Amino acid sequence: SGACASAIMTPIDVCKTRLSTGRFPASLGLRGSLARIAREEGIRGLYAGAQARILGAALFSAVGLSTYDYCKQLMGVGTS
């Protein structure tokens, strides 16, 4: 689920980063930034860095779930 959320939110994060670093003027806003990136760089521009972000989210989720299950076993929670 973390990887799916990352994939969906990547274009928003790309815009946020470009607005906060000053690459785009703040007056452009989110919609204007999305449109500008799509027009100038295409869909690939909206998903810049998506592979690393999705991989990181997937690994984080896998480690988190494994750790959670292990700790549950250690505490004897949920065993019948």
Side-chain angles (χ1 to χ4, degrees):
S1 68
C4 290
S6 293
I8 292 168
M9 293 304 296
T10 295
I12 305 296
D13 283 337
V14 169
C15 290
K16 179 188 65 131
T17 301
R18 292 187 187 190
L19 286 167
S20 67
T21 59
R23 284 186 63 189
F24 289 166
S27 61
L28 199 55
L30 182 62
R31 251 188 232 167
S33 298
L34 284 168
R36 182 171 169 181
I37 294 169
R39 182 176 57 249
E40 292 177 1
E41 301 174 40
I43 298 298
R44 289 181 141 229
L46 290 171
Y47 285 92
Q51 281 182 323
R53 188 160 185 251
I54 292 168
L55 179 62
L59 291 173
F60 181 78
S61 295
V63 169
L65 183 60
S66 299
T67 303
Y68 172 75
D69 284 339
Y70 179 71
C71 289
K72 254 177 55 173
Q73 284 179 343
L74 281 178
M75 292 187 282
V77 178
T79 58
S80 300

